[in-house]
């Protein structure tokens, strides 16, 4: 996936940002309680511009006030220089207990640099944490497609109730679920909102016509029923285009998807 990030326009400051990240990381390697350091975000993905944060995660064995205070001071130091170093500390014990959402898994799967891992604990931990089982993928695809279709049709409900803005918003929400389905069909975790449209283009099943229709469905000229019908029609076409790929991955027809979500 990293190649698509390198196609982004704008000045790539990855070398400068990586040097800052290394300097910060090296400050923490001297602490015995630090079990690992991971660099995330643009640096790991291969593209980091003037709008990018420098994302660093410090893993400790357990909660450590001394490390947390150090993190705060470094954040303030670079903030005063006009540099956004998004540095955080967490314990392995805490993270092992947490249930990571798709965005967290995406961040650690796509574009991570394990900068410091003397006992190989971080690598083992992350391999376990970002594992995507076949069962989980099937359930996610089925749920995303069911929600997408329901929300497309839900727009009529809001017309009946007299709230045209909510009707239009239902179409937007349906497309969000459809994108979740697309990413999961392709074996990827759903990225943060700011990357979802851009990264769709990397998938083979997404062609120029799909992106053109997606652009049209997000376009709202005015909040009217006529405009809603136009958007709903395009939304259904996008859904119908993706549906065969979803059915292939789930292994059953759409009318049986509910079995994987509710039972």
């Amino acid at each position: 996936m990293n190649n698509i990030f390198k196609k982004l326009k704008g000045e790539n400051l990855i070398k400068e940002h990586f040097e800052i990240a290394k300097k910060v990381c090296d400050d923490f390697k001297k602490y015995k309680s630090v079990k690992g350091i991971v660099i995330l975000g643009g640096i790991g993905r291969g593209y980091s511009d003037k709008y990018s944060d420098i994302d660093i995660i410090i893993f400790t064995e357990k909660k450590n006030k001394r490390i947390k205070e150090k993190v705060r001071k470094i954040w303030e130091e670079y903030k005063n220089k006009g540099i956004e170093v998004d540095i955080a500390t967490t314990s392995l014990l805490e993270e092992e207990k947490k249930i990571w959402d798709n965005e967290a898994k995406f961040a650690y799967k796509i574009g991570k640099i394990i900068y410091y891992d003397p006992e190989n604990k971080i690598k083992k931990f992350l391999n376990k944490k970002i594992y995507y089982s076949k069962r989980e993928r099937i359930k996610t695809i089925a749920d995303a497609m069911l929600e997408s279709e329901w929300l497309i049709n839900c727009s009529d409900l809001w017309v009946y109730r007299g709230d045209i803005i909510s009707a239009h918003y239902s179409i937007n929400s349906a497309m969000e679920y459809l994108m979740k389905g697309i990413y999961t069909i392709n074996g990827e975790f759903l990225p943060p909102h700011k990357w979802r449209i851009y990264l769709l283009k990397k998938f083979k099943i997404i062609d120029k016509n799909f992106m053109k229709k997606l652009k049209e469905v997000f376009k709202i000229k005015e909040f009217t029923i006529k405009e809603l019908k136009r958007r709903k029609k395009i939304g259904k076409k996008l859904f119908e285009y993706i549906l065969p790929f979803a059915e292939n991955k789930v292994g059953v027809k759409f009318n049986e998807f509910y079995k994987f979500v509710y039972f």
Side-chain angles (χ1 to χ4, degrees):
M1 183 186 277
N2 286 13
N3 288 336
I4 196 170
F5 288 103
K6 292 177 182 178
K7 292 179 182 178
L8 288 163
K9 295 180 180 180
E11 185 182 5
N12 193 350
L13 303 173
I14 189 166
K15 290 183 179 179
E16 295 91 329
H17 287 180
F18 187 51
E19 287 303 313
I20 294 171
K22 285 201 299 182
K23 184 179 178 182
V24 172
C25 292
D26 288 342
D27 262 355
F28 287 92
K29 286 167 65 176
K30 62 188 177 184
Y31 293 97
K32 290 182 179 180
S33 57
V34 172
K35 298 302 175 182
I37 305 172
V38 178
I39 300 172
L40 298 172
I43 294 174
R45 292 191 294 261
Y47 180 88
S48 186
D49 61 23
K50 64 180 182 179
Y51 296 107
S52 302
D53 296 336
I54 298 171
D55 299 294
I56 301 169
I57 308 295
I58 311 295
F59 286 92
T60 56
E61 188 104 54
K62 55 185 180 180
K63 287 184 179 180
N64 189 302
K65 290 183 179 180
R66 188 181 176 192
I67 298 295
K68 195 170 184 178
E69 180 60 22
K70 175 77 173 176
V71 164
R72 185 187 64 79
K73 287 181 179 179
I74 288 178
W75 181 85
E76 288 179 347
E77 176 189 342
Y78 282 95
K79 183 73 173 178
N80 292 333
K81 294 177 182 178
I83 301 170
E84 293 291 339
V85 177
D86 191 359
I87 181 171
T89 179
T90 188
S91 75
L92 278 171
L93 290 174
E94 282 183 338
E95 295 302 325
E96 284 171 355
K97 294 175 184 177
K98 287 180 184 177
I99 298 175
W100 283 6
D101 59 19
N102 271 277
E103 291 189 19
K105 291 178 180 179
F106 171 86
Y108 280 94
K109 184 180 179 182
I110 307 301
K112 70 176 179 300
I113 296 174
I114 300 178
Y115 186 81
Y116 180 65
D117 190 15
E119 300 171 25
N120 207 35
K121 285 186 175 182
I122 305 303
K123 184 179 180 180
K124 289 180 180 179
F125 164 73
L126 292 178
N127 285 341
K128 182 180 178 181
K129 204 71 174 176
I130 61 178
Y131 174 69
Y132 212 167
S133 70
K134 184 179 180 181
R135 182 185 179 89
E136 184 184 2
R137 283 183 61 190
I138 287 174
K139 182 178 179 179
T140 301
I141 293 168
D143 180 64
M145 297 303 289
L146 286 168
E147 287 290 338
S148 182
E149 189 215 30
W150 183 80
L151 283 161
I152 289 172
N153 295 324
C154 187
S155 59
D156 292 337
L157 177 155
W158 283 114
V159 171
Y160 175 79
R161 291 175 176 174
D163 190 338
I164 192 66
I165 294 178
S166 290
H168 277 276
Y169 183 67
S170 290
I171 303 297
N172 287 15
S173 299
M175 294 303 102
E176 287 288 346
Y177 274 102
L178 187 62
M179 283 189 280
K180 185 177 183 179
I182 293 168
Y183 277 96
T184 315
I185 288 166
N186 286 277
E188 298 287 354
F189 295 110
L190 186 69
H193 285 86
K194 67 178 181 179
W195 291 112
R196 289 178 190 176
I197 299 293
Y198 177 75
L199 293 178
L200 277 178
K201 294 177 283 186
K202 85 181 192 71
F203 299 127
K204 291 181 180 179
I205 66 173
I206 302 301
D207 55 20
K208 289 182 179 179
N209 187 50
F210 183 93
M211 295 306 295
K212 182 181 178 181
K213 281 185 168 59
L214 190 64
K215 180 180 178 180
E216 287 299 312
V217 82
F218 278 124
K219 186 187 294 182
I220 304 176
K221 298 174 184 177
E222 54 185 346
F223 288 104
T224 61
I225 293 176
K226 181 181 178 180
E227 184 69 358
L228 178 68
K229 287 180 178 179
R230 178 191 68 81
R231 296 182 68 221
K232 182 179 177 180
K233 184 178 179 180
I234 299 170
K236 281 186 173 181
K237 286 182 179 179
L238 290 171
F239 175 86
E240 289 165 2
Y241 174 77
I242 296 300
L243 184 57
F245 299 105
E247 289 177 331
N248 182 54
K249 289 293 182 182
V250 176
V252 298
K253 291 296 183 181
F254 180 66
N255 61 2
E256 294 185 77
F257 276 20
Y258 71 92
K259 295 177 183 178
F260 297 93
V261 179
Y262 304 114
F263 300 102

